[in-house]
Amino acid sequence: MIASYIVYFCPFPCFCAKKENKPLKVVTSTKKRHCKFNCNMLNLKPIFAIPMPFYKELDLVFVNPFRLYSFIKRYRPDIIHISTPGPIGFWGMVIAKWLKIPLYGTYHTDFPSYLYANTNSKFVKKTTIYFLRWFYKDFRAIFIRSNEYFDVIKSELRFSEDRIYTIPAGIDLNRFNPNFKDENLWHRVYGLPKDVVVALYVGRLTVEKNVPFLLELWRDIAKEYPNAWLVMVGSGKYYKKRDEYKKSNILFLGHKEGKELSTIFASVNFFVFPSTTDTLGQVVMEALASGLPVIVSDKGGPKTLVNKDYKNGYILEVDKDRFKSVIVELILDEKKREELSIGAKRSAKNFSFANSFNFFWKNHK
């Protein structure tokens, strides 16, 4: 039974734990300015941080292991749950084994696929799989974000299926919903022409998110449909190249958060997310909750969010002509957008932070 603290290396369940008065302590280490912390979160000052090899958009953050050990020894948690197999996760694992504290983890990121997309090296992919297999071998359970990765954990990490749990999808429905819609946002704030149709992408602007595919696709669409615009929210390699797309009806906004991000979501016409490496796609849920039809690829976790019963979007193979034909349909057919928007709002009612956290807590208990 959980009687003291879980040390968890990610802020995902932190706010629910605080609200429900559950004994959970979140430990992280970051210098990122947009991270916000509250009383049940501890941010250990990094010794130093370097860009991850082959994946510069993520940092490898090195923390003082003695400070981490001191914190864990002082609180003596019943369970340590590790969110990411980076340096702080590594030391969390080592300390847990040293103190004989049970280990649990979440497979948030498909690192083998991410690194393969950035290096095109099968050796790098296989090496990453071997590392993850070693890292997770003594964990009592692994939580995944969607059933799409069940077989990956079972076969690549050689983890027994009775120790794999799928966390129900959850987001804050108060932060993402159609009430944030601003009809004049694009003309008044960003200077776009009136009566434009706006598509949205939110996420890292990197190769493994299939951003080059989307940008080149939109170049073709903009030539034929000058009233259609693509808004890109996020940072990364292709944000730095934004000047190359000035004449392609693509608006790069960089990193956004809070009410500003909620307003952007609710004020566009549909959402495009061609990534093939996401374990779930949090931004896809945020788009659906904002009432947006979504277009996702047929690989990875996001496709599990597109539901035939609710009719809230499209699952497409990553083919330029296929993506283009569906995007053009949504640009031209306002009625179709409205129908899919209704389905999106209905499906989003299933995305409960409380359900997600309660599942997480129950299966640790």
Side-chain angles (χ1 to χ4, degrees), residues 115-147:
L115 292 173
Y116 180 72
N118 280 274
T119 64
N120 203 31
S121 169
K122 291 182 179 179
F123 172 77
V124 170
K125 182 176 182 179
K126 286 184 178 180
T127 302
T128 307
I129 291 171
Y130 288 137
F131 168 77
L132 294 176
R133 191 179 295 167
W134 168 81
F135 185 87
Y136 287 112
K137 67 183 176 66
D138 294 322
F139 282 49
R140 293 196 179 185
I142 291 180
F143 291 77
I144 54 178
R145 305 297 310 281
S146 70
N147 287 329

Side-chain angles (χ1 to χ4, degrees), residues 19-247:
K19 183 178 179 181
E20 299 188 21
N21 198 30
K22 299 291 188 185
L24 178 146
K25 194 77 173 180
V26 176
V27 182
T28 188
S29 182
T30 182
K31 291 182 177 179
K32 293 186 183 297
R33 296 177 181 176
H34 56 264
C35 293
K36 297 177 181 178
F37 303 96
N38 60 28
C39 61
N40 61 333
M41 297 178 71
L42 173 67
N43 183 29
L44 294 175
K45 185 179 179 180
I47 299 174
F48 65 93
I50 61 172
M52 182 182 289
F54 312 120
Y55 193 10
K56 294 182 179 180
E57 283 71 29
L58 289 184
D59 290 338
L60 285 177
V61 178
F62 293 86
V63 69
N64 185 330
F66 298 104
R67 286 195 63 198
L68 183 59
Y69 174 82
S70 175
F71 171 80
I72 295 174
K73 188 81 184 292
R74 181 161 23 103
Y75 279 102
R76 292 295 299 185
D78 296 294
I79 289 171
I80 288 181
H81 185 114
I82 295 177
S83 180
T84 305
I88 188 170
F90 168 80
W91 284 115
M93 177 196 68
V94 170
I95 293 166
K97 289 182 178 181
W98 180 263
L99 297 176
K100 295 182 171 55
I101 300 172
L103 272 167
Y104 292 72
T106 300
Y107 193 80
H108 278 289
T109 304
D110 184 359
F111 281 114
S113 295
Y114 272 34
L115 292 173
Y116 180 72
N118 280 274
T119 64
N120 203 31
S121 169
K122 291 182 179 179
F123 172 77
V124 170
K125 182 176 182 179
K126 286 184 178 180
T127 302
T128 307
I129 291 171
Y130 288 137
F131 168 77
L132 294 176
R133 191 179 295 167
W134 168 81
F135 185 87
Y136 287 112
K137 67 183 176 66
D138 294 322
F139 282 49
R140 293 196 179 185
I142 291 180
F143 291 77
I144 54 178
R145 305 297 310 281
S146 70
N147 287 329
E148 189 68 16
Y149 276 81
F150 188 91
D151 289 337
V152 172
I153 302 299
K154 185 179 174 183
S155 60
E156 292 188 356
L157 271 59
R158 295 180 181 171
F159 216 75
S160 60
E161 61 182 53
D162 61 325
R163 295 188 293 149
I164 305 172
Y165 297 85
T166 304
I167 302 176
I171 60 169
D172 186 349
L173 296 175
N174 293 318
R175 281 192 58 207
F176 298 96
N177 63 69
N179 294 332
F180 286 96
K181 186 172 184 177
D182 181 347
E183 297 279 1
N184 299 313
L185 177 71
W186 304 112
H187 179 67
R188 176 175 51 82
V189 178
Y190 297 104
L192 300 189
K194 291 184 177 180
D195 301 322
V196 293
V197 176
V198 182
L200 175 66
Y201 167 91
V202 177
R204 288 190 297 276
L205 306 187
T206 52
V207 171
E208 80 283 348
K209 294 287 188 179
N210 217 8
V211 166
F213 168 83
L214 179 57
L215 294 176
E216 293 307 311
L217 172 65
W218 204 268
R219 267 182 167 163
D220 290 347
I221 291 173
K223 292 174 185 176
E224 299 177 43
Y225 303 93
N227 70 317
W229 281 75
L230 173 64
V231 171
M232 305 289 286
V233 174
S235 57
K237 177 180 179 180
Y238 287 89
Y239 180 73
K240 297 173 183 176
K241 294 184 176 184
R242 60 191 181 278
D243 288 345
E244 297 178 19
Y245 300 93
K246 279 185 176 180
K247 298 180 180 180

Side-chain angles (χ1 to χ4, degrees), residues 3-19:
S4 55
Y5 285 84
I6 295 174
V7 181
Y8 186 88
F9 298 93
C10 173
F12 164 66
C14 182
F15 304 104
C16 286
K18 183 180 178 183
K19 183 178 179 181

